[in-house]
């Protein structure tokens, strides 16, 4: 396909990377990036780039990746609850300042021959080009004005993105209890002796602390100084007494964007403009840059724009939707995080790692045997097996004494207790459908039920949600919980047992 002029709307990571790759693929095409901001002014602090992303960037453009890695800051991950700390290794997770990331991408886009125009806001319609790549971010006007079939889901929790003027040793997750409720930080170091310090809370805590008022009083281009001052105090230990730094920092609710179509005419959406995934899986930059790789690969091969856009979407959509689903589960986990703080920190770490069903328990045991061994010791009250390969079977085969009854292992064929069956099929155990199940469970307990059997479809998504529902009921109502699942999902059930999502498993298809 011949392309003589391409316009990229938005100079974030997605747009800049697309401009470079496009110019490398089509040296004779004029490629211009239109960015409303100035080159050195950016919103945000650091972003994380995981090993898998680095591999993909390496394959597409080793020069850019080399500079990103050189500017990045490798770190492990620590979960700290009160005085208890657990640390997991992560050999290839780097944090990089968004300013540095963009500076590197500016340089490489220009080096490839793309032109960068800063300082004015443009619309896709006014750009004179054969191809318009709309990489204009989560609030994309192009998407808003176009026939893309957009759906936006707004999260229940509130988060605030700020920074510190020193580099933390590790990525840190730490909850802090206050008279208003619980705030939890997700913080990680990045280059330049700084750290991203993101703080999350629930709506009730946010209102109790008066942050609905401070949010309303904060102009759109300013930071919520009232919140920053308060949070600086309650996180003083993690912050070593240093202040929190704002950068147009205010409380927000995460918006998950989904579009039925990613292109219309000569315009194609890319990155946050097309889709977002909750920040707790740290994937927004990755998705935007991988979209750029996918789009340019499709453009290179296809005879015309329509075919290229269709192939780009066909190639990228499954990966995007898979990540959005992981992110959705992760978001729900974090929004309900304070309910799990009774768990010892190592089991909480297992719960965190397995929250979306993406990290199998055995794999986590292989990479961080000490953490998993401590979690298993607490779970079973005895020494765990020496081999990580044996973890799933070992977890399932531990005995349980519950309410005076003895179970020889955690997947008994028969449970001799008065169990009420809960078979509601839902997608979010913490929404009003979940509230109704909890209310029903509470009534059943008052009427003498010993516990609950959670049953329903056998597909993995349904089973993971069932485990989450069981966890909620188990935490809020009590009683014995038994989650039914196909035997093929043993590892998910084992992770659920160690994470306190259920007491017992019941395998369908087992005699
Ligand atoms: C709290 C939080 C934490 C995050 N942490 C991580 C993380 O750890 N790792 C990670 O990978 N991602 C993270 N992200 C996500 C990441 O910041 C975004 O997903 C990523 O920047 C998307 O890139 P993009 O190029 O699609 O859009 P953006 O980076 O948003 O860039 C869009 C650009 O378009 C410009 N623009 C918009 N409209 C116009 C217009 N009309 N004319 C001209 N210019 C325009 C904007 O100024 C902006 O520069 C986080 C996000 C949040 C909210």
């Amino acid at each position: 396909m011949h392309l003589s002029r391409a316009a990229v709307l938005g100079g974030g990571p997605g747009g800049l990377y697309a401009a470079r790759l496009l110019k490398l693929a089509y040296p004779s095409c004029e490629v211009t990036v239109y960015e409303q901001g100035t080159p050195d002014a950016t919103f945000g602090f650091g972003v994380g780039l995981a090993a898998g992303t680095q591999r993909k960037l390496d394959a597409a453009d080793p020069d850019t990746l080399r500079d990103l890695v050189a500017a990045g800051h490798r770190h492990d991950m620590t979960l700290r609850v009160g005085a208890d700390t657990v640390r997991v290794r992560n050999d290839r997770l780097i944090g990089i300042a968004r300013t540095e990331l963009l500076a590197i991408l500016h340089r490489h886009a220009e080096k490839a021959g793309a032109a960068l125009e800063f300082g004015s806001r443009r619309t896709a319609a006014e750009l004179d080009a054969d191809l318009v790549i709309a990489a204009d971010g989560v609030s994309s006007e192009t998407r808003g004005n176009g026939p893309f079939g957009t759906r936006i889901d707004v999260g229940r929790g509130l988060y605030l993105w700020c920074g510190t003027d020193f580099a933390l040793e590790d990525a840190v997750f730490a909850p802090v209890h206050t008279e208003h409720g619980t705030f939890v930080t997700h913080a990680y170091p990045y280059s330049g002796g700084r750290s991203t310090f993101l703080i999350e809370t629930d709506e009730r805590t946010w209102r109790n602390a008066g942050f609905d008022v401070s949010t309303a009083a904060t102009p759109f281009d300013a930071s919520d100084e009232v919140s920053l001052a308060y949070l600086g105090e309650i996180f003083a230990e993690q912050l070593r007494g240093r202040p929190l730094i704002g950068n147009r920092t205010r409380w927000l609710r995460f918006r998950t964007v989904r579009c039925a179509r990613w292109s219309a005419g000569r315009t194609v959406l890319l990155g946050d403009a097309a889709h977002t995934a909750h920040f707790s899986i740290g994937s927004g930059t990755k998705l935007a840059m991988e979209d750029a790789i996918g789009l340019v690969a499709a453009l290179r091969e296809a005879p015309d724009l329509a075919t290229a856009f269709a192939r780009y979407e066909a190639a990228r959509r499954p990966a995007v939707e898979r990540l959005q689903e992981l992110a959705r589960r992760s978001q729900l986990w974090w929004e309900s995080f304070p309910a799990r703080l009774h768990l010892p920190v190592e089991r909480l770490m297992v719960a965190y790692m397995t929250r979306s069903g993406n990290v199998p328990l055995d794999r986590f045991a292989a990479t961080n045997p000490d953490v998993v061994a401590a979690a298993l010791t607490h779970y079973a009250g005895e020494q765990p097996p020496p081999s990580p390969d044996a973890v799933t079977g070992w977890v399932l085969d531990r005995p349980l004494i519950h309410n005076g009854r003895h179970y020889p292992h955690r997947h008994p064929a028969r449970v001799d207790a008065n169990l009420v069956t809960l078979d509601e099929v839902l997608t979010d155990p913490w929404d009003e459908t979940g509230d109704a199940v909890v209310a029903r469970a509470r009534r059943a307990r008052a009427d003498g039920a010993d516990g609950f059997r959670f049953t329903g479809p056998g597909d993995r998504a349904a089973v993971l949600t069932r485990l989450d529902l069981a966890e909620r009921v188990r935490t809020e109502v009590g009683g014995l919980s038994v989650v039914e699942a196909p035997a093929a999902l043993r590892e998910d059930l084992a992770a659920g047992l160690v994470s306190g999502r259920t007491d017992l498993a019941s395998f369908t298809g087992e005699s």
Side-chain angles (χ1 to χ4, degrees), residues 9-15 34-37 43 46-49 98 102 120-123 135-138 140-141 159 161 188 196 198 252 254 270-273 279 282-288:
L9 187 63
Y34 299 91
E35 166 55 45
Q36 63 187 353
F43 174 73
V47 293
L49 291 178
R98 185 167 155 107
L102 293 181
S120 48
R121 190 171 171 82
R122 313 294 286 262
T123 62
D136 47 348
V138 61
S140 169
E141 208 175 290
Y159 72 92
W161 200 3
Y188 48 94
T196 296
L198 187 146
L252 298 167
F254 193 82
L270 178 148
D272 274 11
F279 55 77
S283 294
T285 307
K286 159 203 164 78
L287 285 176

Side-chain angles (χ1 to χ4, degrees), residues 242-310:
R242 305 290 309 158
L244 283 171
I245 304 169
N247 176 354
R248 287 198 276 158
T249 294
R250 62 191 300 125
W251 290 103
L252 298 167
R253 291 174 203 271
F254 193 82
R255 289 186 295 155
T256 301
V257 172
R258 294 182 177 83
C259 290
R261 287 168 297 285
W262 292 354
S263 63
R266 60 173 189 157
T267 302
V268 63
L269 302 177
L270 178 148
D272 274 11
H275 47 69
T276 58
H278 191 248
F279 55 77
S280 60
I281 64 162
S283 294
T285 307
K286 159 203 164 78
L287 285 176
M289 294 178 79
E290 291 179 8
D291 277 359
I293 297 172
L295 175 62
V296 174
L299 286 165
R300 284 172 89 135
E301 310 272 309
D304 52 57
L305 278 187
T307 310
F309 292 167

